[in-house]
Amino acid sequence: MENEPLIDEALKSELAALYSTEDRHYHDLSHIEAMLALADEYRGLLDDPQAVEAAIWFHDAIYDSRAKDNEAKSAELAEKRLAGRVDPGHLARIAAMINATATHQLPPLRDEDALSDAALLLDMDLAILGADPAVFDAYEQAIRLEYGWVEEPMWRAGRSAVLKSFLARPHIFYTAEFQNRFEPKARQNIERSLAALESGTG
């Protein structure tokens, strides 16, 4: 069990199919690949790279923009698919990381190494906020497409509230590495997006 990858090729294919449905414009395979690339880049900081990789693969596996329980269902899917591949303690850790992506608040993990991995996972998930402006704008447009069923006034109000909640934090990112690399640009991108939403041009 130790030497086998948690996410083998069969499981990757199964999950890739979930990420490839036509209603996904941002929460697709490209998002997973971007996070996996960051996990590889920061591998030296990870206590349990396999658990983080598994959490990345599963965290948006269930995604319905009309639903409120996507992360919980994604965590349940991970628990079902990974049962027997990893011990219960590690499985609980993976599920906690997936569930944390619902609010982007650190999960209640007592283990400091597990908490550190969760912080890095959440930062990787939000790294897009600190992307170059053109990439960030494409991300915003993709999110809007995923919420195409929401009428424009409701969309502007809801999206503005989400973005303001990030700006209100002392730090958008938890780790020093991501704060240094992405925080200034993320705040600029969010402020620009808010201005567009509030003026009716975004």
Side-chain angles (χ1 to χ4, degrees):
M1 189 165 76
E2 285 299 314
N3 297 324
E4 292 176 18
L6 265 182
I7 310 291
D8 60 21
E9 291 307 314
L11 197 45
K12 277 183 188 175
S13 296
E14 180 187 331
L15 291 167
L18 292 176
Y19 285 105
S20 301
T21 56
E22 60 185 24
D23 58 331
R24 290 177 184 253
H25 302 277
Y26 172 70
H27 293 91
D28 58 11
L29 210 47
S30 297
H31 172 51
I32 301 307
E33 287 165 351
M35 286 183 69
L36 290 171
L38 283 168
D40 196 46
E41 190 176 340
Y42 290 97
R43 194 176 183 88
L45 298 178
L46 297 174
D47 174 64
D48 189 340
Q50 280 223 50
V52 171
E53 182 190 359
I56 289 170
W57 268 106
F58 276 99
H59 83 286
D60 286 324
I62 306 298
Y63 184 75
D64 174 1
S65 64
R66 295 171 189 261
K68 302 287 187 192
D69 59 352
N70 290 318
E71 293 81 8
K73 284 187 172 175
S74 295
E76 284 172 19
L77 182 66
E79 288 171 330
K80 194 181 295 180
R81 288 289 182 270
L82 297 176
R85 296 182 188 224
V86 64
D87 65 81
H90 275 82
L91 196 48
R93 182 168 164 171
I94 292 165
M97 284 193 278
I98 294 168
N99 279 311
T101 63
T103 60
H104 282 92
Q105 301 290 337
L106 287 173
L109 293 167
R110 290 188 187 146
D111 182 302
E112 293 226 353
D113 290 332
L115 206 54
S116 173
D117 278 0
L120 280 158
L121 176 90
L122 293 176
D123 282 358
M124 288 182 244
D125 196 25
L126 292 184
I128 187 70
L129 297 179
D132 288 334
V135 176
F136 175 84
D137 290 348
Y139 150 74
E140 286 282 86
Q141 289 164 10
I143 295 290
R144 180 66 181 108
L145 285 171
E146 290 184 341
Y147 285 85
W149 53 275
V150 179
E151 290 183 17
E152 194 64 16
M154 289 288 288
W155 165 255
R156 289 180 190 281
R159 187 63 182 164
S160 293
V162 169
L163 294 177
K164 282 176 181 172
S165 74
F166 285 123
L167 279 187
R169 296 181 177 199
H171 297 288
I172 294 169
F173 299 98
Y174 287 103
T175 64
E177 289 77 13
F178 278 70
Q179 285 169 17
N180 293 334
R181 181 174 173 182
F182 295 112
E183 184 94 17
K185 198 171 276 186
R187 289 188 176 273
Q188 289 169 5
N189 281 333
I190 291 171
E191 283 168 2
R192 192 166 47 80
S193 187
L194 276 170
L197 285 164
E198 287 166 3
S199 69
T201 59

